[in-house]
């Protein structure tokens, strides 16, 4: 199975599309050696979000690495952030801008289609089916798309990111009251910085599935990795740091859930 899905009882689905680290054996020889360490994974988010099942959430997470195919990019590979550095549906570069593949290797259109059919399509079918199931049961659904990234990556963005980057596709993927509740939860913790719809407004998952008019709301959280792990090899989980930020993230998720409940209560 290319993904795992835990079905919960609450109107919440937590998607963690970039936590996969698997590069299939048949593909590994095409990559530079450095790529096999999958440095740009959203490391350990399953552990950081281990509270989600206790909230009754469904949790969807893949095994495959984003270097094989990016589950948070559109199937037509249209850039998410025009005018900025973007990684593709089948990425060709590290977040540093260096090439992922060995010199002379060219990914064919046929291979891209195969990867899309093998990994991208099943993940999105599961995501759609689970949102439909949740909505049928509760009358609405909340999608929380969980991400993390190094705080400074010059090829992708200038300067240093705020700690917590909340995205609602510039307001189109979730009701304003949900976004406001999440922002207020973050603001109750001045030890961390936050922004709404800054550099990271939400990728394909947030933009495509968040349909407030259809009672489906989507929020992306892109958080700085140093808050809970080491941002360098071996990218290990740091329990003391995580213990400080995990309650903040949980409070933000719960705030979104309560705001949704008020909308439909």
């Amino acid at each position: 199975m290319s993904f795992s899905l835990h079905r919960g009882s609450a109107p919440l689905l937590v998607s963690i599309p970039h936590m996969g680290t698997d590069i299939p054996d048949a593909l590994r020889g095409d990559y530079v050696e450095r790529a096999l360490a999958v440095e740009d994974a959203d490391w350990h988010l399953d552990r950081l979000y281990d509270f989600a099942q206790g909230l009754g959430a469904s949790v969807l997470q893949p095994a495959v690495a984003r270097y094989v195919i990016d589950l948070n990019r559109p199937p037509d590979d249209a850039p998410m952030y025009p005018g900025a550095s973007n990684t593709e549906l089948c990425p060709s570069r590290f977040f540093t801008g260096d090439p992922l593949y060995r010199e002379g290797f060219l990914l064919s259109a046929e291979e891209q289609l195969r990867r899309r059919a093998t990994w991208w399509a099943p993940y999105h079918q599961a995501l759609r089916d689970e949102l439909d199931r949740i909505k049928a049961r509760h009358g609405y659904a909340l999608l929380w798309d969980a991400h993390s990234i190094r705080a400074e990556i010059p090829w992708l963005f200038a300067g240093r990111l705020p700690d917590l980057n909340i995205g609602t596709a510039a307001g189109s993927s979730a009701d304003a009251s949900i976004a406001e509740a999440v922002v207020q939860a973050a603001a109750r913790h001045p030890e961390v910085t936050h922004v709404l719809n800054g550099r990271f407004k939400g990728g394909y998952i947030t933009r495509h599935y968040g349909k407030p008019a259809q009672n489906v709301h989507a929020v992306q959280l892109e958080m700085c990795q140093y808050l809970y792990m080491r941002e360098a090899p071996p990218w290990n989980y740091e329990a003391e740091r995580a213990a400080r930020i995990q309650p903040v993230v949980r409070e933000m998720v719960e705030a979104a859930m309560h705001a949704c409940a008020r909308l439909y209560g």
Side-chain angles (χ1 to χ4, degrees), residues 22-105:
D22 181 45
I23 297 177
D25 289 344
L27 304 180
R28 293 172 73 87
D30 299 329
Y31 292 89
V32 297
E33 185 70 23
R34 173 184 161 195
L36 303 182
V38 290
E39 64 189 59
D40 297 320
D42 289 7
W43 292 97
H44 311 299
L45 281 185
D46 54 340
R47 186 170 176 182
L48 190 77
Y49 278 87
D50 64 9
F51 63 82
Q53 291 188 23
L55 297 178
S58 296
V59 181
L60 178 64
Q61 55 194 54
V64 72
R66 70 187 302 161
Y67 290 169
V68 177
I69 192 161
D70 191 330
L71 301 173
N72 199 30
R73 294 294 177 270
D76 64 359
D77 206 14
M80 287 280 87
Y81 298 98
S85 297
N86 286 267
T87 55
E88 310 98 323
L89 179 66
C90 293
S92 60
R93 296 184 179 276
F94 293 92
F95 285 175
T96 58
D98 302 311
L100 277 171
Y101 291 99
R102 296 185 184 276
E103 187 175 355
F105 177 81

Side-chain angles (χ1 to χ4, degrees), residues 2 18 30 33-34 43 50 58 71 80 84 87 90 108 129 133-134 145 151 157 169 177 182 191 202 204 215 218 230:
S2 62
H18 291 152
D30 299 329
E33 185 70 23
R34 173 184 161 195
W43 292 97
D50 64 9
S58 296
L71 301 173
M80 287 280 87
T87 55
C90 293
S108 69
D129 289 348
R133 185 192 70 82
I134 290 170
D145 208 43
F157 50 83
S177 65
V182 175
E191 70 276 13
Y204 176 77
N215 298 350
R230 187 169 183 262

Side-chain angles (χ1 to χ4, degrees), residues 227-250:
L227 293 168
Y228 71 95
M229 60 170 277
R230 187 169 183 262
E231 290 190 350
W235 302 289
N236 50 292
Y237 192 81
E238 298 197 342
E240 288 188 13
R241 292 186 183 188
R244 292 192 291 269
I245 195 61
Q246 189 181 50
V248 180
V249 175
R250 176 172 181 149

